[in-house]
Amino acid sequence: MIERLRQLVETKSLSREEDEIADLVSRMLHDAGLDVQREGNNVWCTVGDRERPRLLLNSHLDTVPPGEGWTADPWTLREVDGRLVGLGANDAKGCVTALIEAVLAIRQRLDAGAALGGTVVLALTAEEENTGAGLGTVLDRLGPLDAGIVGEPTDLTPMIAQRGLLILRCIAGGRSAHPANTPPEVAENAIVTAARDIARLSDFDWGATHTQLGRCHANVTTMTGGVARNVIPDRCEFTLDIRTTPLEDHASLTRRLAAVLESELVVHSDRLVPIGTAPTAAIVRAVSRALPEAVPAGSPAMSDMVFLNGIPAVKIGPGHSPRSHTPNEYIRPEELRAGAAAYEEIIRAYFAEAATEVTPLDHERLAAGSSSDDRGRKEPTA
């Protein structure tokens, strides 16, 4: 696994520049005897003995650019004090390595005559770091999916919920005038209007508390207004970055905000929806069966789990999230081994759990506070 990780790390794969690593991964899987498919820089294959249920295993091949502070070449894997240091070693090439190892182990068991009870779909995809032409663009090519595992560095903590992102442009209007001729009590000052709205946010009802994620919250991240020091501004715009939970959809939250703010609200982005999987879902039960001491939690960070709305999924993997996007990013060899073993056990446990369900995915419809699971099963869409 360390040698496989070395090859992955030493193949540059910045977002939108994954051609070479997609070639590498395709060769790895093909040389292992798997039937590989590819679209763009997204690579996938299947292993199994029955068509359904189908379990997706996904992680991403791309990395962010290296920042300042690296003490050696980011694209050379180094072993330092028990750490495997290199760009993407933690996020998420360690997960890719462990997933490949687990799938090859399952394939070996099948070749030896063991039963699985379904199909594993391994999809290693591109452009996760910029939510571009990755998993969301090929999901409908992967066939019907009954559950998913998203490989991200979580220290093998199962993340069964993930925050969404709603970005709103808030545009306050006013009327241009000369400050010398306009007392503040009669001025129509767009900046003042925006300030009133920002103050209102502290008293706004952001909704109920989600079991794993807590409450929805928002931050003002940009603000512009005014054209000159001696002109009362007729326009002021600020940006709201809202991190949402599955307890309220983006459209409903936007309507409630519009009812209490004076500013006009324009949706800049609402496609990154919050995700929740029921604790009773077969995939969650499988993770608990494979990792009895692991306590399900919620993730504030984005991942390709966002594309699995309506598909019960868990985000889990070796490595530790705070190491991601940092100088001298690393993963430990023992984490790789534990990750591969955990993925293999989860796969086997999932098909055992799925086989016990009278009606497929009934448990997912019971998700507490999850908008995606309340609708029951649906065909995967991007």
Side-chain angles (χ1 to χ4, degrees):
M1 279 192 291
I2 292 175
E3 179 55 32
R4 183 178 297 123
L5 178 65
R6 184 184 309 280
Q7 293 180 59
L8 293 171
V9 167
E10 296 184 0
T11 303
K12 293 184 180 181
S13 57
L14 302 180
S15 297
R16 298 195 178 97
E17 299 176 15
E18 302 99 327
D19 303 65
E20 189 176 351
I21 199 168
D23 291 342
L24 171 66
V25 169
S26 296
R27 288 196 303 272
M28 282 182 178
L29 298 175
H30 180 269
D31 290 348
L34 299 173
D35 183 15
V36 181
Q37 298 185 66
R38 177 173 174 176
E39 181 174 300
N41 290 324
N42 305 292
V43 177
W44 67 94
C45 61
T46 60
V47 170
D49 56 3
R50 291 177 53 191
E51 179 59 25
R52 302 290 289 272
R54 290 170 69 87
L55 173 63
L56 171 69
L57 304 181
N58 167 249
S59 192
H60 63 95
L61 299 171
D62 61 320
T63 72
V64 296
E68 297 293 329
W70 283 84
T71 57
D73 179 17
W75 287 287
T76 299
L77 190 72
R78 297 175 290 131
E79 297 189 42
V80 181
D81 298 328
R83 300 176 175 185
L84 301 170
V85 181
L87 182 65
N90 183 73
D91 183 18
K93 293 178 179 181
C95 294
V96 171
T97 299
L99 285 170
I100 292 174
E101 186 75 10
V103 169
L104 295 183
I106 293 294
R107 170 65 181 272
Q108 188 174 36
R109 288 175 58 84
L110 286 169
D111 289 346
L116 183 62
T119 294
V120 173
V121 182
L122 174 64
L124 304 174
T125 50
E127 297 189 34
E128 187 272 348
E129 295 292 359
N130 59 7
T131 60
L135 179 62
T137 65
V138 297
L139 201 57
D140 59 351
R141 297 282 310 278
L142 305 181
L145 299 172
D146 297 293
I149 289 288
V150 175
E152 288 284 342
T154 70
D155 203 21
L156 292 183
T157 297
M159 301 295 180
I160 65 172
Q162 176 177 281
R163 285 191 182 274
L165 172 61
L166 171 63
I167 301 177
L168 298 177
R169 294 171 51 220
C170 306
I171 304 168
R175 182 173 181 273
S176 296
H178 197 300
N181 302 323
T182 314
E185 61 270 18
V186 299
E188 297 178 42
N189 190 318
I191 290 179
V192 173
T193 300
R196 284 197 299 264
D197 278 346
I198 292 171
R200 289 185 178 104
L201 295 173
S202 61
D203 297 322
F204 182 73
D205 176 11
W206 292 103
T209 300
H210 188 276
T211 304
Q212 285 83 32
L213 296 171
R215 299 189 77 192
C216 171
H217 63 256
N219 284 285
V220 178
T221 54
T222 67
M223 188 174 187
T224 58
V227 295
R229 289 190 297 272
N230 60 348
V231 178
I232 291 173
D234 61 0
R235 179 185 173 93
C236 180
E237 180 175 328
F238 62 95
T239 302
L240 271 184
D241 176 301
I242 309 172
R243 303 296 167 145
T244 57
T245 79
L247 296 181
E248 185 172 19
D249 64 60
H250 288 172
S252 172
L253 180 57
T254 301
R255 287 193 297 270
R256 290 202 301 113
L257 280 165
V260 299
L261 301 183
E262 296 177 67
S263 300
E264 175 191 359
L265 302 187
V266 177
V267 175
H268 177 76
S269 175
D270 62 356
R271 70 188 182 99
L272 301 179
V273 298
I275 299 295
T277 298
T280 52
I283 187 60
V284 181
R285 301 199 313 271
V287 173
S288 296
R289 185 167 166 174
L291 302 169
E293 297 181 2
V295 178
S299 173
M302 288 291 159
S303 73
D304 277 343
M305 191 176 178
V306 71
F307 297 113
L308 302 185
N309 189 21
I311 301 170
V314 176
K315 176 164 60 177
I316 187 170
H320 195 39
S321 184
R323 301 175 196 158
S324 302
H325 304 187
T326 63
N328 300 318
E329 174 187 352
Y330 70 91
I331 194 168
R332 299 182 185 276
E334 60 268 25
E335 291 174 330
L336 276 182
R337 289 193 293 270
Y343 284 143
E344 183 181 354
E345 286 300 313
I346 292 168
I347 293 166
R348 294 166 59 189
Y350 169 71
F351 291 112
E353 290 289 342
T356 68
E357 297 198 323
V358 177
T359 302
L361 306 182
D362 270 352
H363 291 282
E364 281 71 2
R365 300 188 182 103
L366 304 176
S370 169
S371 60
S372 64
D373 292 308
D374 286 345
R375 293 190 296 274
R377 187 172 119 202
K378 68 177 185 180
E379 292 300 318
T381 62

